[in-house]
Amino acid sequence: MGGTSTWVLEGTNDDRQDFKVVGTWNHPGRQSWDMVSGAAKYPTDLYKEGTLVAMALRCPYGHAKVKSLDISEAEKLPGVKLILTYEDEELASMPINVPSYYELGRSPLLGDEGEFEGDECGAVVVGVSEEVCRKALDLIKVKWEVLPFVLDCREAGKPGAPILRPEMNPDSNMTGNTFGAPVKWEIGNVEKGFKEADYIEVIEYGRPMWNQFRPMPPAYFSYWDNDPWGNPDGEKMCYVTNHAHFPSNGPIISASMGMGVHEDKVRALTPYMAARYCDFVEKRGAQLAPVLSRRLGGVPVRCVSTRRQAFDANVPQTFFTVRIGFKKDGTLVAVQSKNVHQTGARGGYGDKTHGHLVLPANAQGFKSTSCPNIYSEMEYYVTNGACTTADPGKDAWEPVNLAFAKIADTLKMDISEVIMKNVKITKPSLESCMEAGKKAFHWDSKWHLPGTKRLEDGRFHGVACRSCWSMTWGMISYNINLRMNTDGKIYMPYSEALIGTYWPDAVQLVIAEEMGMKLEDVIVYYAANYPNWQKGDAADRGSTCTWAAKEAAVQLKKQILETGASLFGVTADEVDLVDSMITLKADPSKQMSLVGIGQLAVGYCGKPKVPFQNDVIRTMNVDFCEVAVDPETGMVEILDYCSAHDFGKLIRPSSGLGQLEMALTMASGRALREEIIWDPNTGVLLNGNMYDYKVPTSLDQPTIETVPVETRCGGGAYGSTGVAHAHCDAGLVGLAIQNAIGKFIPMAPYTPDKILGAMGTIS
Amino acid sequence: MNGKVSRRDFLKAGGAGLAGVALSTLGIGTILGSETTAGDAQAAPGQELMYVCPVCGEKAEDFDGLRKHFKEKHPELESPKNMVLRINGADVGVYVEDHWTLRETLLRAVGLTGNAKEMCDRGGCGSCTVLIDGKPALACTTLAVECRGREIETSEGIAADPAYRPLVEAYVKYDASQCGYCTPGQFTVAKYILNKYPDPTEDQIRTELSGNICRCGTYSRHVQAIQEAAAAMKGGKS
């Protein structure tokens, strides 16, 4: 067993024990009715009189450069309003700045080089309809210079590989497809550790590029119109749709920076943007749509991407080879990890050719084990294929859990024991999750040594479990403004585009709880451009913004009580807020409504003192999986998922548990079938549609049992913490398959060909 | 179940109004409150779009005006067609081109966007599912001209039907939406399921919803919501 967390709850009332609304069910979200009825307007739903459509020319090759363009015939087509090429001066000068975190980095907004098949380059057409745009694009005569391409980051790192972005490190003697030296670090003395080990094994883990599959294909919609309160500075307002959750109002930032206007002249049109799963890549349409609209006098312009074109940003490849040394009792004593990572066509996530790597998979996860000797080396290479997004899972823990499984397999141990033996901090969180999860999953009756159990139908049976952090993103401060209006209601504006986590509704519960208000008297409402800095809706930051909301609520309550006390003629200590009424403590029958007592407001900006990312091991979770493997077909069926997640404090159960269901459903798709496939000979995407890239349907969704654990050890309000990021990983299914067939499969997804290959049925 | 679903909850800036074309029967009136309220709350995008030239963007007063505009300004092109679609119980005269899908027509000419969602390009996701003569149909692969004389139901109309209020309440209770993009399509199929199976099993629900993709993985919530609505609509709990 590992150590004990010494975390002390911080902030006002984080140790609260009495809850009226926090943790309770049946609180429909502010937007729920609109989402169900269809009244909610998403960017694809916006259509105004005179709306024009914009579509870009797409590179048809794995890598190619425009040698010449002839747009003369396309311009003659009726319905075509504008065609801009890469030679357009304004486009060539954009982006003026480099908005970090966005795809619109140092690559030109519309260049002459297609860095992957489907990349927007060369020209953009604006017409009255998609049909007109498609015809116009067909009429553009293009001469392409086809360039060499690389699709696999391991190949991109080899000597002699084609140099895809020679400008990235022109003076370096490093392999040309990287933009920096390998990231290396060491803790302890790894060679010494291996000498002390009783066993040394090697594990392999790889994942292909896969697609988060955002439900709504990008459809940036923009127009310029008068400022609603006039044009005080003589400039019109740019209205844009929102497609990025992190930071939110991404198009506002992208558009304003790209066009060199201030952010106050750009306004978001709708809070709805459909889901993003830590995919904060912004598309070029974010800047193209406002520019094209401005060129055409401000008319509405919609930049259209088809579903296939939406496969231009994917979760990157990563490959691990890890040598582990461990003792006879299963204690890990040495880790030597090498990781080759893909940075996508632009370099880094999105378009950051300056090499900004976010959440790279390397040996970071091993830092949360008690292993004293760790060496990590990570290389990263640009490839063709697509831009890259962040991973909605927690891939740093994939090799860790694989190492635990390898130890368990070698020593014929129960993997749950190996986890508890090697994770550095196990109390109270991991221990609670493991205990609750094993009980709910019936682990003790299901677990067996690898390859030793068949079901009655002849299929192999396997189970596995894995551990991970429950993430809290403590790097972000939230700006919460609360106002008591003359109607006696409490109002909180927010501006973030919504991706499905119901964070404003969780915040509503916290505010009501802290203030003693009825839930219906706390109004959270969308206010375009309101800066909840750091902006953004994300599963794991929701807990952080509840913390800021709690602090703000406490401050506003104090003001209200001081006002109410003066009206009662008593001191503030003698009154309380009960069910939205100022109540005399000595005589609760004496109450005063908040209606009409005035207007009060507070603002609070801050965050809990929670460490970021790699050290967050106070709140943990354990997932369990049971599979059946057909030895004849290689088909894998996930029979049961069980997730014991330490929420710290579960604030809004419906959405909190919904995040687990979401992440594990996505994980099942990743594990069994999701993979981006290109033609190795042409670099052309082969499965960019919903039939060949199959995400889980209602029939594919496994049984998912959620087991909430509450240790109050997180960084959000009342010790709450994040959810979804911790669970969207493929590896657990692979471990269960190993328990079934006795073989490790080094590469996800775990498709029948790999299963049969591992079993020796096929070569 | 919290039955306090106020009109205010439905008074959202995102709700499309469609003044002038039988609001209440289309479902919009009920969703947004009274017709007057809807009209006051916002512009009526559906009405604005109805007679706008798709070639040059010029707006006509009515369909005859649009046809006249075509003959004068675009003599080389075929004049637009007008047709009557029966949507959510109302006869709606819309401008439509022969090649327009029902999805495009709902978006561009009618202003009902619940089932105008596009996820897949080609009939693979179910987000645009409407009911045509009571059966699920994909609006993205159905031409509008095929729908003449047929009953079209959209999520807006179903949500506005008091008989299906228990379904709406169950959906919002269970967070059957996460990002919400696919939800109107699923919700529309839910009505079909309730009509087909008075007491639907989980297998029946999952099978009927298997053509509706939800990347947020809300499938189990639809099962809960539909089963609870079925019980409530049979006179059970509410």
Side-chain angles (χ1 to χ4, degrees):
Chain A
M1 297 292 285
T4 301
S5 169
T6 55
W7 172 247
V8 177
L9 289 168
E10 67 166 299
T12 314
N13 295 337
D14 257 354
D15 57 352
R16 174 185 287 277
Q17 294 296 322
D18 56 317
F19 293 98
K20 282 188 175 178
V21 289
V22 164
T24 61
W25 286 75
N26 198 11
H27 304 298
R30 180 73 170 85
Q31 273 86 13
S32 294
W33 287 273
D34 284 353
M35 291 195 287
V36 170
S37 70
K41 294 297 180 201
Y42 292 76
T44 49
D45 296 329
L46 299 179
Y47 204 89
K48 285 176 66 70
E49 179 181 332
T51 294
L52 300 174
V53 173
M55 297 180 78
L57 187 68
R58 302 269 177 167
C59 175
Y61 300 101
H63 187 194
K65 193 164 186 169
V66 175
K67 292 175 70 176
S68 67
L69 272 178
D70 179 356
I71 61 172
S72 57
E73 290 301 313
E75 285 181 315
K76 295 174 188 171
L77 186 71
V80 169
K81 300 295 183 183
L82 180 69
I83 300 178
L84 297 181
T85 73
Y86 65 95
E87 293 176 321
D88 179 85
E89 287 186 8
E90 184 179 15
L91 292 186
S93 69
M94 293 175 66
I96 296 168
N97 299 298
V98 181
S100 178
Y101 291 116
Y102 293 97
E103 193 214 10
L104 308 160
R106 291 176 185 169
S107 290
L109 185 61
L110 191 71
D112 63 349
E113 186 172 342
E115 292 165 324
F116 52 90
E117 191 264 321
D119 196 9
E120 295 156 294
C121 64
V124 60
V125 173
V126 185
V128 296
S129 66
E130 289 185 35
E131 294 87 342
V132 166
C133 289
R134 287 198 176 96
K135 286 177 185 172
L137 290 170
D138 287 343
L139 289 172
I140 295 177
K141 293 172 185 162
V142 193
K143 287 185 180 175
W144 297 93
E145 177 188 0
V146 180
L147 300 170
F149 62 88
V150 183
L151 300 169
D152 187 316
C153 60
R154 294 167 297 186
E155 297 300 318
K158 290 180 179 176
I163 304 304
L164 307 176
R165 301 292 296 266
E167 76 280 10
M168 288 200 310
N169 53 18
D171 302 323
S172 168
N173 59 1
M174 293 178 289
T175 303
N177 289 314
T178 189
F179 44 79
V183 176
K184 300 176 183 176
W185 51 266
E186 183 170 14
I187 296 172
N189 186 319
V190 170
E191 286 312 309
K192 180 169 171 285
F194 279 115
K195 286 176 184 171
E196 295 171 357
D198 297 319
Y199 297 89
I200 295 175
E201 297 283 349
V202 175
I203 57 173
E204 301 276 351
Y205 172 78
R207 73 165 191 222
M209 191 171 248
W210 66 283
N211 189 269
Q212 296 195 14
F213 203 90
R214 61 178 83 170
M216 180 185 69
Y220 294 97
F221 179 81
S222 180
Y223 61 93
W224 295 73
D225 204 347
N226 289 328
D227 203 320
W229 49 85
N231 297 320
D233 47 10
E235 295 176 10
K236 291 206 170 190
M237 178 79 78
C238 177
Y239 294 85
V240 294
T241 51
N242 208 346
H243 293 249
H245 68 284
F246 175 50
S248 91
N249 297 340
I252 288 181
I253 297 173
S254 293
S256 63
M257 293 185 77
M259 294 180 296
V261 301
H262 294 304
E263 203 174 312
D264 67 326
K265 301 304 295 184
V266 186
R267 176 158 295 190
L269 282 167
T270 172
Y272 300 100
M273 55 171 273
R276 302 288 290 268
Y277 310 96
C278 206
D279 164 12
F280 43 81
V281 171
E282 198 61 275
K283 302 290 186 174
R284 295 178 176 194
Q287 287 194 351
L288 277 174
V291 168
L292 296 172
S293 173
R294 187 166 64 179
R295 285 287 188 94
L296 290 162
V299 299
V301 171
R302 178 196 303 283
C303 278
V304 169
S305 291
T306 65
R307 169 51 61 188
R308 190 181 193 285
Q309 290 163 351
F311 279 87
D312 62 0
N314 302 307
V315 184
Q317 304 161 343
T318 197
F319 300 92
F320 281 95
T321 300
V322 185
R323 193 160 66 117
I324 57 174
F326 49 97
K327 296 282 197 179
K328 289 176 182 174
D329 66 353
T331 303
L332 192 60
V333 293
V335 173
Q336 182 183 22
S337 169
K338 178 167 183 178
N339 174 207
V340 180
H341 194 70
Q342 180 187 33
T343 66
R346 304 275 190 260
Y349 289 116
D351 211 349
K352 296 172 286 298
T353 52
H354 55 298
H356 185 95
L357 278 166
V358 182
L359 311 176
N362 60 24
Q364 294 286 349
F366 284 102
K367 287 182 178 177
S368 296
T369 71
S370 52
C371 178
N373 307 297
I374 307 169
Y375 174 79
S376 176
E377 178 177 328
M378 182 181 70
E379 300 169 4
Y380 35 97
Y381 297 105
V382 174
T383 62
N384 306 105
C387 299
T388 48
T389 73
D391 188 332
K394 194 41 56 208
D395 47 354
W397 272 81
E398 294 287 75
V400 178
N401 285 299
L402 187 55
F404 293 161
K406 190 70 175 179
I407 294 170
D409 184 58
T410 304
L411 301 177
K412 301 190 185 315
M413 289 176 66
D414 179 334
I415 187 174
S416 68
E417 295 175 18
V418 179
I419 291 171
M420 297 307 291
K421 183 181 287 290
N422 284 294
V423 174
K424 189 186 298 179
I425 304 294
T426 56
K427 294 178 183 177
S429 186
L430 182 61
E431 188 177 84
S432 301
C433 291
M434 185 64 82
E435 182 180 347
K438 287 174 79 169
K439 182 179 178 184
F441 186 76
H442 304 293
W443 174 264
D444 290 337
S445 64
K446 287 182 176 178
W447 181 81
H448 51 77
L449 288 171
T452 59
K453 182 176 178 181
R454 289 213 187 200
L455 300 171
E456 288 183 359
D457 59 12
R459 293 184 296 174
F460 286 102
H461 172 270
V463 292
C465 62
R466 46 66 96 192
S467 57
C468 188
W469 303 303
S470 294
M471 305 299 290
T472 291
W473 298 88
M475 62 181 176
I476 295 168
S477 291
Y478 270 86
N479 178 22
I480 301 289
N481 279 14
L482 288 181
R483 175 169 51 91
M484 185 192 74
N485 205 352
T486 51
D487 61 2
K489 311 285 187 188
I490 308 300
Y491 289 85
M492 190 203 84
Y494 67 90
S495 67
E496 281 76 6
L498 302 171
I499 60 171
T501 62
Y502 289 85
W503 80 261
D505 307 295
V507 162
Q508 182 195 22
L509 296 179
V510 170
I511 294 169
E513 191 74 66
E514 280 305 308
M515 295 194 66
M517 296 294 292
K518 292 179 180 175
L519 193 59
E520 58 265 33
D521 291 333
V522 177
I523 315 297
V524 292
Y525 67 101
Y526 178 69
N529 282 37
Y530 175 80
N532 290 102
W533 186 263
Q534 169 82 40
K535 303 163 181 175
D537 176 9
D540 308 315
R541 286 195 300 279
S543 56
T544 305
C545 64
T546 59
W547 191 87
K550 171 178 63 69
E551 298 299 311
V554 169
Q555 290 184 19
L556 182 58
K557 180 180 180 181
K558 183 171 182 289
Q559 285 192 24
I560 292 172
L561 292 183
E562 287 170 352
T563 303
S566 65
L567 294 172
F568 267 121
V570 297
T571 65
D573 292 340
E574 295 176 84
V575 290
D576 199 1
L577 262 177
V578 179
D579 292 336
S580 304
M581 302 288 282
I582 301 170
T583 304
L584 205 57
K585 289 180 181 174
D587 182 1
S589 67
K590 292 184 178 176
Q591 293 188 311
M592 182 189 301
S593 168
L594 299 186
V595 177
I597 70 168
Q599 296 188 63
L600 297 167
V602 299
Y604 179 86
C605 184
K607 68 179 189 65
K609 295 172 188 169
V610 61
F612 174 62
Q613 197 171 334
N614 297 318
D615 299 321
V616 182
I617 53 176
R618 298 193 310 269
T619 48
M620 298 288 286
N621 57 81
V622 184
D623 288 347
F624 300 81
C625 182
E626 180 179 17
V627 300
V629 181
D630 189 326
E632 294 184 4
T633 65
M635 292 291 290
V636 176
E637 180 184 2
I638 299 173
L639 302 173
D640 192 13
Y641 259 134
C642 177
S643 179
H645 183 94
D646 183 3
F647 289 86
K649 173 65 185 174
L650 183 51
I651 289 175
R652 190 174 182 277
S654 182
S655 45
L657 299 178
Q659 290 297 297
L660 289 181
E661 294 167 22
M662 178 279 288
L664 286 169
T665 302
M666 186 182 280
S668 72
R670 286 187 68 176
L672 298 182
R673 59 182 79 86
E674 292 185 38
E675 176 179 15
I676 297 291
I677 300 171
W678 295 278
D679 181 339
N681 296 315
T682 64
V684 171
L685 177 64
L686 295 177
N687 62 339
N689 61 71
M690 294 188 68
Y691 296 101
D692 298 320
Y693 189 94
K694 189 172 178 299
V695 300
T697 70
S698 57
L699 295 175
D700 301 316
Q701 185 180 42
T703 300
I704 298 170
E705 183 175 4
T706 54
V707 182
V709 173
E710 295 184 332
T711 63
R712 307 290 292 271
C713 289
Y718 317 121
S720 61
T721 190
V723 188
H725 241 304
H727 301 273
C728 186
D729 293 303
L732 173 61
V733 176
L735 301 186
I737 292 169
Q738 186 271 333
N739 184 253
I741 66 174
K743 303 286 185 183
F744 286 97
I745 299 174
M747 184 78 186
Y750 309 108
T751 48
D753 56 318
K754 292 174 188 159
I755 305 289
L756 295 177
M759 296 178 72
T761 307
I762 61 173
S763 60
Chain B
M1 181 66 212
N2 180 359
K4 294 177 183 175
V5 182
S6 68
R7 174 180 293 177
R8 186 181 156 283
D9 292 317
F10 291 125
L11 281 169
K12 306 288 175 57
L18 192 63
V21 282
L23 280 166
S24 57
T25 45
L26 276 173
I28 294 298
T30 311
I31 290 174
L32 291 173
S34 69
E35 294 184 21
T36 304
T37 306
D40 289 346
Q42 61 201 313
Q47 192 179 37
E48 288 179 359
L49 295 168
M50 209 166 291
Y51 304 114
V52 174
C53 175
V55 177
C56 67
E58 189 170 311
K59 188 177 179 183
E61 289 294 318
D62 52 24
F63 181 73
D64 288 340
L66 185 62
R67 189 187 290 272
K68 183 182 174 195
H69 164 83
F70 251 75
K71 286 181 179 172
E72 291 175 356
K73 299 288 178 63
H74 312 295
E76 76 285 5
L77 300 176
E78 187 180 351
S79 290
K81 293 180 175 59
N82 193 13
M83 67 179 296
V84 174
L85 291 175
R86 189 160 182 79
I87 304 174
N88 296 333
D91 288 331
V92 186
V94 295
Y95 159 69
V96 64
E97 295 182 27
D98 286 348
H99 62 285
W100 279 14
T101 64
L102 180 58
R103 191 194 73 80
E104 286 176 287
T105 307
L106 290 171
L107 173 66
R108 297 169 65 166
V110 183
L112 290 174
T113 58
N115 303 110
K117 301 289 187 294
E118 183 178 26
M119 184 189 292
C120 65
D121 295 343
R122 55 170 87 171
C125 71
S127 295
C128 64
T129 306
V130 296
L131 299 183
I132 298 179
D133 293 338
K135 294 184 177 175
L138 298 176
C140 74
T141 53
T142 303
L143 291 174
V145 294
E146 294 179 81
C147 299
R148 194 190 305 271
R150 305 179 76 178
E151 291 281 349
I152 300 165
E153 289 176 86
T154 71
S155 59
E156 291 94 338
I158 299 167
D161 184 345
Y164 288 91
R165 185 57 169 254
L167 184 63
V168 177
E169 293 186 352
Y171 260 66
V172 301
K173 174 183 174 182
Y174 287 108
D175 285 357
S177 309
Q178 282 192 21
C179 83
Y181 192 72
C182 71
T183 312
Q186 309 244 18
F187 175 74
T188 301
V189 177
K191 175 184 177 177
Y192 170 76
I193 293 170
L194 290 172
N195 287 339
K196 188 174 180 180
Y197 305 106
D199 191 14
T201 65
E202 177 169 354
D203 283 348
Q204 289 167 337
I205 293 170
R206 286 186 180 269
T207 300
E208 297 291 350
L209 284 176
S210 61
N212 292 73
I213 301 297
C214 175
R215 188 50 152 164
C216 301
T218 58
Y219 302 122
S220 63
R221 304 301 178 98
H222 295 274
V223 174
Q224 287 177 291
I226 292 169
Q227 289 184 329
E228 180 161 305
M233 292 168 71
K234 285 196 305 183
K237 59 185 176 178
S238 61

